[in-house]
């Protein structure tokens, strides 16, 4: 396996956790480079379900090095909770197999609180965030008022910086949002105490990843969320606050972009989104409900019902192009069994004009309508199919149409949550 990037090519929740877990078998190092505990990567191993929010999915494979890079927004409470949760289930988690960047930014209690208060303030204009403090943490990073993991380890420095930051945040919490301010000393004591528990994991992860690449190690970069939630390329402002595709690796893992050798996008055979914002192929009807029910489409981080709709080839084509994908993996194909017909948005229509390209030139999605092609459905249960040739003809026709339309080879299909429920292309 060369140095590989795996990213979500829709609005997140494409089933990356399972695929990354599968690919982690052939990797020496698994690296997260953006996002935070807003992600929820579900992995099922031997009937046991694990939901990982911050720690790379490779942690379920003994002997691998798992890295949380500098571009990740790290909530120390969530990190330690996840470490303890894995240990309680018999997984070995220590500083040899899990590395945390000294320059990753820290999510504090005030970030979480302000995330939730800002959403309340926005009212109808809310983003529908996960409330995990992601946006406010990245905002402080850009404003140069944030604290990094390494700062936490320096007690005196941490107290000075956190005291200054919190004084300003408390003014915001109290005077703008009308809520009770956070107890300054309590917060200082809490986070400086947590720092000691982080210490065994902390290092310069950028140097570690680059030196692993020089030594010919197999590195897997694990994207969280999806391309349409990318802060630059996505449906702004209804996005997350990081670069979610291969475009985020250079900055978020301190790894040279030109050293990424293989790029794989992951997309569901249909489409979902959580939170607010444009979703051209959304089905607010019985079809959408059926997809939600058959696909069990509820958020793994927040439990929210996901918005459901048809595959959007315009969006996926754009996502794959942005990250320069060599291949696509299509997940949840089994969920579409039983639909009499299946639709795919091949193009958009706007102001009477049909277009194949993503409308990044339009400030909003008002008036954008998908132009669908309809495909016949199939009734067979796909969850036990392991060979491409054994798929019903209608399912193969569907897969091949998606492939043609997005212009990237589909390398694998996933037909259930277990590791072995995959169909390699060409089988
Ligand atoms: P935030 O990342 O919590 O700020 O949320 C911003 C937007 O990204 C919201 O629409 C969230 O629902 C969405 N989002 C964040 N993380 C995920 C994820 O892992 N899967 C799907 N959507 C996500």
């Amino acid at each position: 396996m060369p140095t590989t990037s795996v990213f979500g090519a829709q609005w997140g929740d494409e089933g990356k956790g399972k695929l990354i877990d599968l690919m982690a078998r052939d990797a020496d190092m698994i690296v997260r480079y953006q996002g935070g505990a807003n992600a929820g990567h579900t992995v099922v191993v031997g009937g046991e379900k694990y939901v990982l929010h911050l720690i790379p999915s490779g942690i379920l494979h003994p002997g691998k090095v798992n890295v949380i890079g500098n571009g990740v927004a790290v909530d120390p409470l969530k990190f330690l909770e996840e470490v303890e949760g894995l240990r309680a289930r018999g997984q070995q988690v220590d500083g040899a197999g899990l590395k945390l960047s000294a320059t990753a930014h820290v999510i504090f209690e005030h970030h979480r609180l302000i995330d939730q208060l800002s959403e309340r303030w926005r009212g109808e204009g809310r983003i529908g965030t996960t409330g995990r403090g992601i946006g406010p943490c990245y905002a402080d990073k850009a404003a140069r008022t944030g604290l990094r993991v390494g700062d936490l380890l320096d007690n005196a420095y941490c107290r000075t910086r956190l005291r200054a930051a919190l004084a300003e945040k408390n003014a915001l919490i109290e005077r703008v949002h009308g809520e009770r301010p956070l107890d300054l000393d309590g917060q200082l004591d809490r986070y400086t105490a947590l720092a000691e528990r982080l210490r065994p994991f902390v290092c310069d992860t950028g140097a570690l990843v680059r030196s692993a690449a020089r030594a010919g190690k197999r590195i897997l970069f694990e994207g969280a969320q999806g391309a349409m939630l990318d802060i630059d390329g996505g449906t702004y402002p209804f996005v997350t606050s990081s670069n979610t595709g291969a475009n985020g690796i250079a900055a978020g893992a301190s790894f040279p972009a030109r050293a990424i050798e293989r790029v794989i996008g992951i997309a569901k055979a249909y489409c979902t989104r959580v939170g607010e914002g444009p979703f051209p192929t959304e089905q607010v009807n019985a079809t959408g409900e059926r997809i939600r029910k058959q696909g069990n489409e509820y958020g793994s981080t927040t439990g929210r019902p996901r918005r459901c709709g048809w595959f959007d080839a315009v969006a996926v084509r754009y996502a794959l192009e942005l990250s320069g994908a060599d291949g696509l993996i299509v997940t949840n194909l089994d969920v579409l069994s039983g639909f009499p017909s299946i639709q795919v948005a091949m193009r958009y229509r706007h102001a009477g004009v049909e277009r194949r390209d993503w409308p990044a030139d339009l400030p909003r999605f008002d008036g954008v309508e998908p132009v669908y092609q309809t495909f016949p459905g199939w009734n067979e249960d796909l969850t036990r199919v392991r060979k491409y040739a054994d798929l019903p003809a209608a399912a193969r026709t569907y897969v091949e149409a998606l492939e043609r339309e997005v212009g990237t080879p589909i390398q694998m299909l996933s037909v259930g949550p277990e590791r072995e429920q995959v169909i390699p292309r060409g089988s």
Side-chain angles (χ1 to χ4, degrees):
M1 177 204 255
T3 302
T4 303
S5 150
V6 175
F7 71 97
Q10 294 164 321
W11 276 275
D13 309 313
E14 297 91 351
K16 295 180 291 295
K18 168 187 158 165
L19 274 312
I20 290 164
D21 168 65
L22 196 69
M23 293 167 87
R25 279 196 300 212
D26 299 322
D28 301 302
M29 184 178 268
I30 300 93
V31 184
R32 277 273 313 259
Y33 54 91
Q34 48 73 229
N38 48 348
H41 289 170
T42 308
V43 184
V44 180
V45 186
E48 282 233 21
K49 183 173 161 184
Y50 294 86
V51 183
L52 297 164
H53 298 286
L54 196 55
I55 296 180
S57 313
I59 199 76
L60 300 170
H61 296 266
K64 313 281 179 192
V65 178
N66 293 275
V67 175
I68 298 178
N70 59 280
V72 177
V74 178
D75 183 333
L77 287 165
K78 292 280 167 216
F79 174 83
L80 292 167
E81 209 176 87
E82 216 158 281
V83 167
E84 294 310 331
L86 285 164
R87 283 179 178 158
R89 293 175 74 179
Q91 302 287 338
Q92 195 186 337
V93 187
D94 55 33
L98 180 58
K99 308 284 186 184
L100 176 59
S101 170
T103 55
H105 275 254
V106 176
I107 295 183
F108 291 97
E109 176 80 38
H110 60 264
H111 290 129
R112 260 179 289 142
L113 183 59
I114 290 169
D115 192 359
Q116 291 156 23
L117 295 176
S118 300
E119 280 285 85
R120 189 176 77 184
W121 180 271
R122 286 190 277 262
E124 286 294 297
R126 70 184 171 275
I127 298 164
T129 74
T130 59
R132 296 290 169 98
I134 305 296
C137 174
Y138 281 120
D140 279 354
K141 174 179 178 176
R144 292 148 297 170
T145 50
L147 271 86
R148 309 194 290 184
V149 169
D151 301 335
L152 274 192
L153 302 184
D154 180 336
N155 199 314
Y157 182 65
C158 172
R159 281 183 173 267
T160 310
R161 299 261 342 237
L162 189 54
R163 188 177 290 282
L166 206 49
E168 186 192 356
K169 301 302 175 191
N170 267 344
L172 177 70
I173 293 166
E174 207 174 358
R175 296 195 211 142
V176 175
H177 296 291
E179 293 292 332
R180 232 165 22 128
L182 293 171
D183 165 40
L184 193 63
D185 290 320
Q187 292 293 310
L188 290 172
D189 291 344
R190 184 186 199 186
Y191 283 95
T192 44
L194 284 175
E196 284 318 306
R197 294 172 60 203
L198 297 182
R199 198 181 289 280
F201 301 99
V202 180
C203 68
D204 175 353
T205 55
L208 186 80
V209 180
R210 293 191 303 274
S211 105
R214 275 197 304 277
K217 302 280 186 208
R218 300 160 301 174
I219 304 170
L220 182 63
F221 293 98
E222 168 179 349
Q225 291 87 42
M228 299 302 138
L229 290 172
D230 184 283
I231 183 131
D232 288 287
T235 49
Y236 192 90
F238 302 101
V239 292
T240 192
S241 301
S242 59
N243 290 118
T244 54
N247 54 338
I249 296 173
S254 299
F255 189 77
R258 61 180 295 195
I260 304 161
E261 294 161 306
R262 190 166 69 131
V263 179
I264 309 286
I266 315 271
K268 274 179 190 157
Y270 47 93
C271 193
T272 64
R273 142 160 235 178
V274 282
E276 310 302 317
F279 179 3
T281 60
E282 181 173 19
Q283 299 295 303
V284 191
N285 51 31
T287 300
E289 270 162 38
R290 184 167 179 187
I291 296 175
R292 184 176 310 115
K293 189 153 172 260
Q294 292 189 192
N296 191 26
E297 292 294 353
Y298 295 89
S300 42
T301 299
T302 58
R304 291 182 287 180
R306 295 179 182 143
R307 298 159 64 191
C308 297
W310 297 121
F311 189 92
D312 184 340
V314 180
V316 174
R317 192 188 303 123
Y318 165 69
L320 297 173
E321 197 180 300
L322 263 186
S323 280
D326 311 291
L328 173 66
I329 296 177
V330 172
T331 61
N332 293 25
L333 186 64
D334 56 301
V335 171
L336 293 180
S337 291
F339 282 86
S341 62
I342 300 168
Q343 292 189 296
V344 177
M346 299 295 195
R347 293 177 296 285
Y348 290 159
R349 188 182 297 111
H350 181 259
V353 179
E354 284 195 10
R355 50 196 290 177
R356 284 184 91 237
D357 58 315
W358 179 254
D361 52 331
L362 300 178
R364 288 179 293 152
F365 270 69
D366 290 359
V368 168
E369 277 172 55
V371 179
Y372 289 111
Q373 185 171 334
T374 304
F375 294 86
W378 58 87
N379 286 318
E380 292 86 338
D381 172 17
L382 306 187
T383 57
R384 290 193 177 76
V385 177
R386 297 292 175 270
K387 283 203 183 122
Y388 188 72
D390 294 342
L391 280 173
R396 279 185 275 128
T397 303
Y398 180 67
V399 168
E400 286 158 32
L402 298 188
E403 181 172 66
R404 254 195 322 278
E405 211 40 48
V406 300
T408 303
I410 294 179
Q411 300 185 332
M412 197 190 278
L413 303 162
S414 167
V415 287
E418 292 278 351
R419 271 180 186 168
E420 54 278 7
Q421 288 179 298
V422 288
I423 305 176
R425 196 62 196 290
S427 57

